[in-house]
């Protein structure tokens, strides 16, 4: 990635010098089809002509425009032709002797992308059709057209696209076909990273939304949804439109600012690196949100949450945008919070806060304990820093903190502050203080100390109850102890609920007392609960009001070990599971004890999203946290337990499907693999279990990784499912085969070649890394450290991230691997900071795994 970085200082200097009046961008993408390719084996390119009108505060000064392209045909500045070879270095266009008012025209040959960055080109293996879409955040629009690639240089855009005959093109504004060119209406002032282009033979469905406001005005929004033609039979656009309308109603009710970007298209696109992207008027999603087979309600809830998250961005991020990536949280934390908030209040997924507590916050807790943890308002020095900060802190921790802020200032004050923020800064850029000032106005609270504690410091606190009882079994004192890691010692103010639980006459574990209090400092006495009957379980952070790691006193932990399944409230149960998982990750509970809890109580879990998280956690506990000598037994116990629950589950239910997938993930014995093979071939049957195409691939991976299914079998399955999805599954399974030659080939395809697309790189890495193949993978630990600097230098940042994270030798979980990682870090102090961050994070995960394994070994002493 040489020369592609942009520093915060450079961006600030340019923003002080320049202001942009508008862009006109013409793209000729007819080269997307046919045999056209780059000369001399170079990349396939398209023509990009950009006209930028901008002003300069200091006439005579110099600056630069951003462009990452194989070549530039012509450059003119204020009617003066410039020598492309003299002013373009591959990433920037030098602009000297600027006037007060300027017009820059750049005619370039830009490259189609195969990594999901820039203008991505995808050829559907099912029918040979070609599809294009763009993805830019944080800074890849410069791969498609020349621009000033930073969020605070907003401007209106006009796009034109000449596409192959028979294609349709879309952009942020409404478009029409005029003389063979798709012309799109001018946008409102927006940042470069949320502009978008989509072109190809997409399947397109339309609907409309209408809203009449209190003043009698009406807002009509054309709605559209699209996907590849091959996915059209599975596309449940009616549900997408239902959720879209529910979200638009919710945000109009609460934001008092009409949706400002005209139409609302939503495109489900192939080989997408992200979950979705909030391009105004043309939101893009990964096409995996179109379900080819039976999925659980958790999958539909996840899709709904993402739709609403992206919609919240239309206000938080698109209408009002952060000045620089330091304040990325101003859009991502808010969208994550508003996504869950609207999910619960506007859609059928009324238990969305359970998913938030169990799933999203788990992501935050992990990120906040890595050596790369950072405050929610981060220090983003450059674009590489920005790319890595789309993490669990910026999203889920930020959303958790906002949830607490709502409890602190009140819901009405919070929403009124948001409304003032939108109106005050519409189409502009903001920093932290701009939002805080609006919230201080509406709440009457001084938020400076709250901001310092929650937004400007890193780390997660632990809250533990301390209970003193009288001789007659009453609480004499209940206190909450707050702790922090030595590396991040900040003790924060927490608004928490403390719940007391005991068994009812029917045996259910239910809450009988609750106090909502402010916890501050190392020890806070909860006077409201003094005199209550002795509890069997004390749950700190009941109702999940704050962001913390929940700990238990010994009595409460004993209760959970015996009666976790009797806890009737779904949110309380999810919080307890999350807390137990954090104990396991922190080497305070043996991994085998957590697996035992899953085996005894997961079968009683009613929330399907929580159940899926338990399966994922149990798999991680077995692979990374269990003592090596116990893994084989743990795998057998999990497989036996999963098969038992699979047979007990209601036929045809989502619980049955979830247990079937988990059974496949842990199956390893000859009998288990024979059952999976029989289910595939139809010689075995479990009543109600529909072995559809997606389930078939889920069963084939363990059969392949254990040597039961071979390349011929996988070829036959691909012939049965000759689609883009089928190809990804086949590639993953091929790389999973237990052969040294297979592993060498997979390594070479990812590391020594850049011929694979981003989706197939991801699939190959996923198949390559198998927990049952530690010995096969051992030779690649040393090779990993030898190649990652070259990978980081030569590949795009997305592929670099995928390779550095995905191929780290985490399965070689020994002190030797830890020492090799430390040696690389010690000898590479001058390596790219973003690369060092990724290696540091992987090292921390490995060190955590070794501590957890040591804890698990003590379970048998």
């Amino acid at each position: 990635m040489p020369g592609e970085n942009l520093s915060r200082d450079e961006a600030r200097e340019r923003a002080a010098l320049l202001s942009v009046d508008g862009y006109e961008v013409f793209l000729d993408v007819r080269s997307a089809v046919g045999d056209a390719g780059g000369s001399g084996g170079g990349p396939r390119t398209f023509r990009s002509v950009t006209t930028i009108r901008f002003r300069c505060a200091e006439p005579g000064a110099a600056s630069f425009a951003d462009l990452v392209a194989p070549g530039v045909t012509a450059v003119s500045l204020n009617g003066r032709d410039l020598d492309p070879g003299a002013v373009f270095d591959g990433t920037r266009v030098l602009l000297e002797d600027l006037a007060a008012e300027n017009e820059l025209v750049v005619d370039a040959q830009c490259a189609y992308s195969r990594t999901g960055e820039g203008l991505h080109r995808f050829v559907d293996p099912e029918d040979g059709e070609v599809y294009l879409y763009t993805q830019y955040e944080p800074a890849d629009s410069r791969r498609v057209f020349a621009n000033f690639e930073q969020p605070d240089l907003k401007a209106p855009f006009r796009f034109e696209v000449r596409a192959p005959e028979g294609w349709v093109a879309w952009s942020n504004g409404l478009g029409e076909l005029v003389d063979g060119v798709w012309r799109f209406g001018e946008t409102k002032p927006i940042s470069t990273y949320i502009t978008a282009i989509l072109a190809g033979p997409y399947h397109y469905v339309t609907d409309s939304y209408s809203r009449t406001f209190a003043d009698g005005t009406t807002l009509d929004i054309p709605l559209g949804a699209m996907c590849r033609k091959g996915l059209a039979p599975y596309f449940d656009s009616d549900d997408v439109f239902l959720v879209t309308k529910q979200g638009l109603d919710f945000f109009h009710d609460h934001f008092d600012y009409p949706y400002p970007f005209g139409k609302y298209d939503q495109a489900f696109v192939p080989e997408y690196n992200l979950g979705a992207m909030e391009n105004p008027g043309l939101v893009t999603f990964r096409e995996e949100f179109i379900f080819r087979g039976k999925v659980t309600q958790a999958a539909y809830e996840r899709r709904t949450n993402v739709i609403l998250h992206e919609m919240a961005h239309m206000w938080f991020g698109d209408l009002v945008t952060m000045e620089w990536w330091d304040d990325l949280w101003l859009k991502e934390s808010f969208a994550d919070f508003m996504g869950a908030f609207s999910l619960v209040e506007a859609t059928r997924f009324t238990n969305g806060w359970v998913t938030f507590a169990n799933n999203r916050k788990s992501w935050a807790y992990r990120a906040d304990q890595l050596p790369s943890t950072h405050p929610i308002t981060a220090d983003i020095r450059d674009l590489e820093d920005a790319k890595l900060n789309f993490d669990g802190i910026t999203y889920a921790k930020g959303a958790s903190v906002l949830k607490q802020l709502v409890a602190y200032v009140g819901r009405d004050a919070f929403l009124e502050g948001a409304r003032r923020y939108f109106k005050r800064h519409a189409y502009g850029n903001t920093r932290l203080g701009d939002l805080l000032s609006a919230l201080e106005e509406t709440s009457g609270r001084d938020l400076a100390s709250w901001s310092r504690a929650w937004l400007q410091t890193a780390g997660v606190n632990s809250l533990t109850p301390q209970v003193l009882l009288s001789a007659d079994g009453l609480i004499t004192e209940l206190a909450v102890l707050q702790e922090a890691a030595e590396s991040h010692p900040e003790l924060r103010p927490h608004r928490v609920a403390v719940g007391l639980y005991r068994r009812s006459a029917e045996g259910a574990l239910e809450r009988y007392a609750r106090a909502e209090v402010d916890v501050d400092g190392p020890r806070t006495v909860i006077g409201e609960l003094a005199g209550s009957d002795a509890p069997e379980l004390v749950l700190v952070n009941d109702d999940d009001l704050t962001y913390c790691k929940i700990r238990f006193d010994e009595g409460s932990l004993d209760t959970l070990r015996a009666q976790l399944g009797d806890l009737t409230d779904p949110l309380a149960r999810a919080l307890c599971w999350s807390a137990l998982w954090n104990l396991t990750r922190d080497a305070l509970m043996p991994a085998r004890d957590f697996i035992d809890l899953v085996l005894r109580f997961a079968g009683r879990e009613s929330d399907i999203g929580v159940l899926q998280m338990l399966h994922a956690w149990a798999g991680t506990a077995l692979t990374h946290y269990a003592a090596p000598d116990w893994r084989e037994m743990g795998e057998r116990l999990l497989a036996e337990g999963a098969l038992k629950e699979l047979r007990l589950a209601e036929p045809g239910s989502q619980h049955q499907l979830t247990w079937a997938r988990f059974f496949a993930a842990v199956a390893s014995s000859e009998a288990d693999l024979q059952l999976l093979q029989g289910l595939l071939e139809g010689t075995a049957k479990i009543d109600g279990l529909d072995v559809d195409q997606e389930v078939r691939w889920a069963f084939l991976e363990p059969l392949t990784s254990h040597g039961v299914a071979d390349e011929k079998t996988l070829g036959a399955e691909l012939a049965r499912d000759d689609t883009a999805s089928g190809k990804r599954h086949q590639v993953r399974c091929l790389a999973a085969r237990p052969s040294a030659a297979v592993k060498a080939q997979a390594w070479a395809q990812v590391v020594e070649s850049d011929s694979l697309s981003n989706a197939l790189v991801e699939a190959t890495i996923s198949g390559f890394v198998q927990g049952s193949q530690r010995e096969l993978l051992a030779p690649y630990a040393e090779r990993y450290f030898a190649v990652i600097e070259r990978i980081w230098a030569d590949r795009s940042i997305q592929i670099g991230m995928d390779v550095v994270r995905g191929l780290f030798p985490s399965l070689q979980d020994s002190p030797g691997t830890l020492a090799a990682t430390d040696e690389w870090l010690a000898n590479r102090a001058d390596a790219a900071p973003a690369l060092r961050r990724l290696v540091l994070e992987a090292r921390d995960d490995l060190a955590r795994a070794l501590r957890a394994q040591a804890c698990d070994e003590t379970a048998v002493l």
Side-chain angles (χ1 to χ4, degrees):
M1 289 155 275
E4 294 183 15
N5 213 348
L6 174 73
S7 73
R8 177 176 53 202
D9 290 342
E10 288 177 309
R12 285 177 176 170
E13 181 179 340
R14 186 164 62 176
L17 184 66
L18 306 182
S19 55
V20 188
D21 295 316
Y23 287 84
E24 294 176 5
V25 180
F26 170 80
L27 305 177
D28 187 341
V29 297
R30 289 175 294 176
S31 58
V33 299
D35 297 328
S39 61
R44 182 186 291 255
T45 62
F46 59 93
R47 187 183 182 199
S48 169
V49 183
T50 306
T51 301
I52 314 175
R53 297 181 306 280
F54 64 99
R55 284 164 286 141
C56 177
E58 300 176 17
S63 188
F64 61 92
D66 300 295
L67 176 67
V68 178
V72 168
T73 305
V75 180
S76 71
L77 178 63
N78 300 327
R80 186 175 75 254
D81 290 337
L82 306 179
D83 177 7
V87 299
F88 178 61
D89 65 1
T91 62
R92 295 181 177 184
V93 180
L94 177 63
L95 306 175
E96 294 182 307
D97 193 21
L98 291 171
E101 296 185 0
N102 302 274
E103 182 177 276
L104 172 69
V105 181
V106 179
D107 190 339
Q109 292 296 315
C110 295
Y112 294 102
S113 170
R114 299 193 70 236
T115 66
E117 301 154 293
L119 181 59
H120 188 79
R121 178 179 178 269
F122 173 78
V123 182
D124 193 333
E126 187 173 1
D127 54 19
E129 296 281 15
V130 177
Y131 295 88
L132 304 178
Y133 66 85
T134 57
Q135 171 56 38
Y136 297 150
E137 191 174 39
D140 285 318
S141 65
R142 57 196 170 140
R143 299 182 186 277
V144 179
F145 60 94
N147 58 54
F148 301 116
E149 186 80 282
Q150 57 191 80
D152 58 344
L153 287 178
K154 285 183 161 184
F157 288 81
R158 287 187 181 272
F159 286 98
E160 293 187 357
V161 177
R162 184 179 291 278
E165 186 175 351
W167 276 24
V168 179
W170 291 265
S171 186
N172 304 87
L174 285 169
E176 60 177 341
L177 185 62
V178 180
D179 297 329
V181 175
W182 289 93
R183 296 179 178 174
F184 299 95
E186 185 174 76
T187 70
K188 299 289 189 180
I190 57 177
S191 301
T192 54
Y193 76 91
I194 51 175
T195 60
I197 293 292
L198 192 82
Y202 284 90
H203 170 72
Y204 185 55
V205 187
T206 61
D207 202 336
S208 62
Y209 171 86
S210 184
R211 170 88 175 198
T212 300
F213 298 100
D215 63 1
T217 58
T218 299
L219 175 67
D220 294 313
I221 303 175
L223 305 179
M226 63 275 274
C227 67
R228 289 186 296 112
K229 291 191 295 186
L231 286 177
Y234 311 104
F235 193 18
D236 53 339
S237 57
D238 287 348
D239 192 51
V240 171
F241 287 136
L242 171 64
V243 170
T244 301
K245 294 174 185 178
Q246 290 170 331
L248 287 169
D249 276 340
F250 178 86
F251 292 124
H252 282 132
D253 286 343
H254 292 84
F255 287 171
D256 191 32
Y257 196 108
Y259 172 71
F261 298 111
K263 69 181 179 71
Y264 202 87
D265 284 328
Q266 296 174 99
F268 295 80
V269 298
E271 298 190 325
Y272 203 52
N273 290 322
L274 312 178
M277 184 64 207
E278 66 269 17
N279 314 307
L282 183 55
V283 184
T284 41
F285 300 83
R286 62 187 304 118
E287 69 177 18
E288 285 78 4
F289 285 127
I290 298 174
F291 308 119
R292 299 197 311 152
K294 183 177 180 179
V295 296
T296 66
Q297 282 302 302
Y300 288 101
E301 179 184 330
R302 167 67 176 151
R303 182 177 72 183
T304 298
N305 184 277
V306 174
I307 289 172
L308 296 171
H309 174 114
E310 303 309 320
M311 188 178 292
H313 273 311
M314 298 301 123
W315 291 266
F316 284 108
D318 294 359
L319 177 67
V320 183
T321 311
M322 70 275 158
E323 184 175 295
W324 177 249
W325 302 102
D326 292 346
D327 282 309
L328 177 63
W329 79 281
L330 280 172
K331 72 184 188 77
E332 294 302 348
S333 298
F334 273 86
D336 221 45
F337 170 73
M338 294 306 303
F341 186 24
S342 56
L343 178 80
V344 171
E345 300 213 354
T347 76
R348 63 188 182 272
F349 301 105
T350 55
N351 281 337
W353 288 122
V354 174
T355 305
F356 183 83
N358 189 249
N359 186 311
R360 296 299 280 181
K361 291 181 81 169
S362 175
W363 181 29
Y365 294 142
R366 177 188 176 273
D368 213 6
Q369 295 173 86
L370 290 170
S372 58
T373 186
H374 56 84
I376 294 172
T377 55
D379 179 24
I380 304 299
R381 297 162 296 184
D382 53 37
L383 290 178
E384 288 191 8
D385 277 358
K387 183 74 172 180
L388 268 62
N389 261 45
F390 289 82
D391 59 13
I393 296 170
T394 302
Y395 284 72
K397 180 181 179 179
S400 303
V401 168
L402 289 175
K403 188 182 181 190
Q404 175 168 265
L405 179 61
V406 173
Y408 180 57
V409 304
R411 171 178 168 145
D412 291 343
F414 177 82
L415 290 171
E416 177 58 27
R419 289 189 281 268
R420 295 187 187 184
Y421 177 71
F422 300 143
K423 292 172 183 175
R424 192 171 295 165
H425 301 288
Y427 306 111
N429 297 87
T430 57
R431 297 183 180 183
L432 166 65
D434 298 310
L435 178 66
L436 291 184
S437 65
L439 291 172
E440 286 177 336
E441 289 173 16
T442 57
S443 68
R445 290 181 179 268
D446 180 359
L447 296 179
S449 59
W450 177 88
S451 173
R452 282 193 297 272
W454 281 106
L455 301 179
Q456 296 167 276
T457 61
V460 56
N461 301 134
S462 298
L463 301 183
T464 307
Q466 184 183 65
V467 185
L468 300 177
L469 299 175
S470 64
D472 55 354
L474 298 178
I475 294 176
T476 58
E477 184 179 88
L478 193 157
V480 174
L481 309 181
Q482 180 178 188
E483 297 176 286
E486 289 183 11
S487 57
H488 300 284
E490 179 82 17
L491 298 181
R492 301 179 178 86
H494 295 264
R495 184 69 178 174
V496 301
V498 178
L500 306 183
Y501 290 77
R502 64 186 175 195
R503 279 173 290 188
S504 67
E506 294 77 23
L509 193 59
E510 297 178 335
R511 187 170 68 190
Y512 66 92
R514 176 187 184 275
E516 187 172 321
V517 297
D518 291 318
V519 168
D520 203 356
R523 189 173 190 272
T524 303
V525 175
I526 314 301
E528 294 91 329
L529 295 175
S532 300
D533 291 340
E536 294 180 70
L537 167 67
V538 180
L539 182 55
V540 176
N541 198 30
D542 207 353
D543 298 323
D544 197 36
L545 298 184
T546 193
Y547 171 81
C548 70
K549 287 197 291 187
I550 298 170
R551 301 301 199 202
F552 301 107
D553 62 290
E554 283 301 319
S556 296
L557 192 54
D558 289 343
T559 296
L560 291 175
R561 289 182 186 276
Q563 294 178 253
L564 177 53
D566 296 328
L567 196 56
T568 56
D569 181 72
L571 178 56
R573 202 167 55 243
L575 290 169
C576 289
W577 277 118
S578 177
L580 293 167
W581 177 240
N582 278 320
L583 288 173
T584 307
R585 292 189 74 248
D586 291 346
L588 298 174
M589 172 180 279
R592 67 191 66 188
D593 287 5
F594 182 81
I595 289 173
D596 177 65
L597 289 167
V598 171
L599 289 170
R600 289 192 291 123
F601 298 123
R604 297 172 64 181
E605 181 53 59
S606 59
D607 188 289
I608 198 67
V610 172
L611 179 60
Q612 290 171 341
M613 282 300 296
L614 293 179
H615 289 166
W617 288 341
T620 299
L622 177 68
T623 303
H624 296 291
Y625 298 160
D629 292 344
W630 188 79
R631 284 184 193 134
E632 185 176 349
M633 174 171 286
E635 189 171 55
R636 178 177 62 79
L637 291 172
L638 278 176
E640 289 175 355
L643 183 57
K644 173 189 170 185
E645 296 296 343
L646 170 58
R647 296 191 184 281
L648 288 174
E650 180 183 348
S653 67
Q654 58 181 350
H655 281 73
Q656 183 189 56
L657 175 62
T658 300
W659 282 109
R661 286 181 169 274
F662 184 55
F663 171 65
V666 295
S668 62
S669 72
E670 183 178 352
D672 291 343
L673 296 172
Q674 285 178 349
L675 175 57
L676 288 177
Q677 191 168 26
L679 290 169
L680 275 176
E681 296 172 352
T683 57
K685 183 178 180 181
I686 293 177
D687 188 29
L689 181 63
D690 179 15
V691 185
D692 62 29
Q693 187 59 64
E694 289 296 302
V695 174
R696 290 182 65 84
W697 285 114
F699 287 1
L700 270 168
E701 183 171 353
L703 290 172
T704 305
S705 67
H706 290 286
V708 177
D710 58 14
E711 185 175 2
K712 182 179 178 181
T713 302
L714 296 176
E717 196 67 29
L718 181 62
R720 175 190 179 109
D721 182 26
D722 192 10
T723 65
S725 299
K727 182 63 177 176
R728 289 194 299 272
H729 288 308
Q730 185 220 23
V731 166
R732 185 181 69 254
C733 290
L734 285 171
R737 290 172 292 163
S739 155
V742 164
K743 297 304 175 185
Q745 182 184 34
W747 177 271
Q749 288 173 332
V750 170
V751 172
E752 305 303 335
S753 168
D754 63 355
S755 62
L756 295 181
S757 70
N758 55 322
L760 296 186
V761 166
E762 181 183 5
T764 303
I765 291 173
S766 176
F768 180 86
V769 180
Q770 297 288 322
S772 61
Q773 298 172 355
R774 280 177 161 84
E775 291 184 7
L776 274 176
L777 298 176
Y780 295 95
E782 185 176 350
R783 297 181 201 177
Y784 171 88
F785 293 109
V787 302
I788 54 175
E789 277 189 291
R790 171 170 59 82
I791 291 291
W792 193 259
D794 294 348
R795 305 290 182 86
S796 74
I797 190 169
Q798 182 63 50
I799 298 300
M801 289 165 59
D802 291 343
V803 172
V804 174
R805 281 175 172 156
L807 292 181
F808 181 84
S810 59
L811 292 176
Q812 308 309 310
D813 42 4
S814 69
T817 306
L818 197 64
T821 309
D822 288 339
E823 181 181 1
W824 185 92
L825 288 165
N827 293 335
R828 301 299 194 284
D830 59 346
L835 173 59
R836 285 182 55 83
R837 169 177 169 168
L838 292 173
V839 176
L840 275 167
E841 290 176 349
R843 184 224 182 263
D844 191 74
D845 284 337
L846 176 59
R848 181 180 291 274
L850 293 175
R851 292 193 298 271
Q853 290 173 23
C855 171
D856 194 54
E857 287 174 351
T858 66
V860 296
L861 298 180

